[in-house]
């Protein structure tokens, strides 16, 4: 059978899967877009929006699981949620956060934990927090063929050491430490670096110094990319948001309004409507009516 002429019409090329080398090569080029996602629906939305990287962040603990901070998130949580994201087979690169206490106890533990995120969760890379002290862990992960994203500045897993979620690297000494840490992580093999909660000048300095892309959150405009939390971008989080969050929608209000209309319809008896219910075939409905008329509701 000859193909119809339409079959030869040029089709837009399917956008190809984003890989670790793709992300690495964006240093100084087109800005990288990273967004968090924690399940299949959020991953589909983020991927459809054209993000380059989906971060299954341990912010999961706060925005999905209702914890005060990220410390309660464990490896099983991260594996389960990473797997839900990866099952959608997104074009974006899937990076999973290594939760608290899965890499602080040494390289072997870190490789086993990250291995679960890759094998069971389908992660294509992992992210972990901290400076030069993480070098042996990062080297072991890279040795095990697991690509690593570093995370410096405000590192939420160090909440108690920092004394709260505070902007970091504001003094000259701390700036030097941050820059040295960035170089140490790059030396250990990270392919990208998240910079969180640092002054814009400092993030720009680090960005100019390191050969891998920096991805900022609360780190100003000078980074090679930006990341925000899904719920913050869509206005799905409650309470005040930090200054670096830009809300692009107010889905919280829209969702409450829609759910309240459903509740109202149920209470007024206007839901479900006839076209929203299943009906018996005419023949069976008539037979049932006939039974009712004869006063035999059951089988007889
Ligand atoms: O867990 C997370 O969402 C993160 C981003 C804020 C970078 O680490």
């Amino acid at each position: 059978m000859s193909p119809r002429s339409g079959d030869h019409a040029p089709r837009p090329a399917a956008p190809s899967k984003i890989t670790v080398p793709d992300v690495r090569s964006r240093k100084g080029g087109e800005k990288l877009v990273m967004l968090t996602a924690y399940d299949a629906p959020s991953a589909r939305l983020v991927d459809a929006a054209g993000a380059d990287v989906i971060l299954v962040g341990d912010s999961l603990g706060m925005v999905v699981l209702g914890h005060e901070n990220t410390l309660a998130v464990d490896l099983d949580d991260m594996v389960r949620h990473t797997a839900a994201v990866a099952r959608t087979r997104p074009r974006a690169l899937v990076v999973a956060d290594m939760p608290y206490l899965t890499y602080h106890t040494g390289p072997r533990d870190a490789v086993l934990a990250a291995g679960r995120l890759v094998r069971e969760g389908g992660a294509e890379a992992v992210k972990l927090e901290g400076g030069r002290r993480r070098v042996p862990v990062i080297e072991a992960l890279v040795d095990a063929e697991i690509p690593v994203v570093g995370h410096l500045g405000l590192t939420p897993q160090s909440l108690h050491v920092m004394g709260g979620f505070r902007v970091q690297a504001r003094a000259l000494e701390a700036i030097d430490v941050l820059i040295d840490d960035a170089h140490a992580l790059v030396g250990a093999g990270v392919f990208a670096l998240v910079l969180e909660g640092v002054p814009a000048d400092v993030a720009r300095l680090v960005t100019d110094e390191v050969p891998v892309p920096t991805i900022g959150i609360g780190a100003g405009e000078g980074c090679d990319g930006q990341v925000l939390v899904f719920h913050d971008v869509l206005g799905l989080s409650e309470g005040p948001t930090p200054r670096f969050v830009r809300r692009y929608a107010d889905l919280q209000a829209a969702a409450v309004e829609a759910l309240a209309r459903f509740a109202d319809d149920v209470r007024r008896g206007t839901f479900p409507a006839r076209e929203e219910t299943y009906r018996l075939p005419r023949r069976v409905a008539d037979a049932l009516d006939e039974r009712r008329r004869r006063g035999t509701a059951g089988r007889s």
Side-chain angles (χ1 to χ4, degrees), residues 32-52:
L32 283 161
V33 178
M34 179 190 263
L35 278 162
T36 67
Y38 311 96
D39 54 19
S42 58
R44 285 195 195 100
L45 293 173
V46 166
D47 205 46
D52 301 301

Side-chain angles (χ1 to χ4, degrees), residues 165-290:
F165 296 113
R166 296 171 197 285
V167 175
Q168 301 293 300
R170 303 182 90 146
L172 282 180
E173 261 177 36
I175 294 169
D176 289 342
V177 169
L178 185 80
I179 292 172
D180 288 350
D181 279 346
H183 282 300
L185 297 196
V186 170
V190 300
F191 72 93
L193 202 50
V194 166
L195 296 175
E196 177 168 357
V198 295
D201 303 324
V202 176
R204 193 183 287 281
L205 210 58
V206 175
T207 301
D208 288 345
E209 290 238 353
V210 297
V212 301
T214 58
I215 303 174
I217 174 162
E221 68 293 345
C223 297
D224 297 302
Q226 297 289 330
V227 52
L228 280 178
V229 167
F230 180 87
H231 294 68
D232 290 342
V233 173
L234 294 181
L236 278 168
S237 42
E238 282 188 332
T241 47
R243 125 182 359 206
F244 60 79
V245 168
R246 188 181 294 176
R247 284 198 160 167
Y248 287 84
D250 186 0
L251 294 195
Q252 172 88 10
V256 170
E257 199 262 338
L259 297 170
R261 281 199 287 124
F262 167 70
D264 203 40
D265 284 352
V266 170
R267 290 187 185 116
R268 287 188 303 138
T270 58
F271 178 86
R274 193 177 168 80
E275 61 276 17
E276 289 159 333
T277 60
Y278 299 105
R279 298 282 156 183
L280 285 170
R282 191 38 167 271
R283 187 175 41 81
V284 182
D286 287 349
L288 203 61
D289 273 352
E290 180 56 25

Side-chain angles (χ1 to χ4, degrees), residues 34 36 38 55-60 70 97 127 129 151 156 194 196 217 227-229:
M34 179 190 263
T36 67
Y38 311 96
L55 172 65
V56 189
D58 62 354
S59 49
L60 167 79
T70 59
D97 254 342
K127 175 169 83 57
E129 300 179 6
H151 184 157
V194 166
E196 177 168 357
I217 174 162
V227 52
L228 280 178
V229 167

Side-chain angles (χ1 to χ4, degrees), residues 55-115:
L55 172 65
V56 189
D58 62 354
S59 49
L60 167 79
M62 298 165 84
V63 296
V64 175
L65 303 180
H67 294 298
E68 291 269 298
N69 54 54
T70 59
L71 299 177
V73 175
D74 67 19
L75 188 58
D76 287 338
D77 293 329
M78 289 307 302
V79 168
R80 188 177 309 110
H81 285 269
T82 303
V85 167
R87 260 180 233 123
T88 67
R89 305 179 68 79
R91 171 179 176 264
L93 185 77
V94 177
V95 178
D97 254 342
M98 295 197 67
Y100 177 58
L101 232 47
T102 58
Y103 55 97
H104 305 74
T105 51
R108 185 181 150 75
D109 287 350
V111 170
L112 293 176

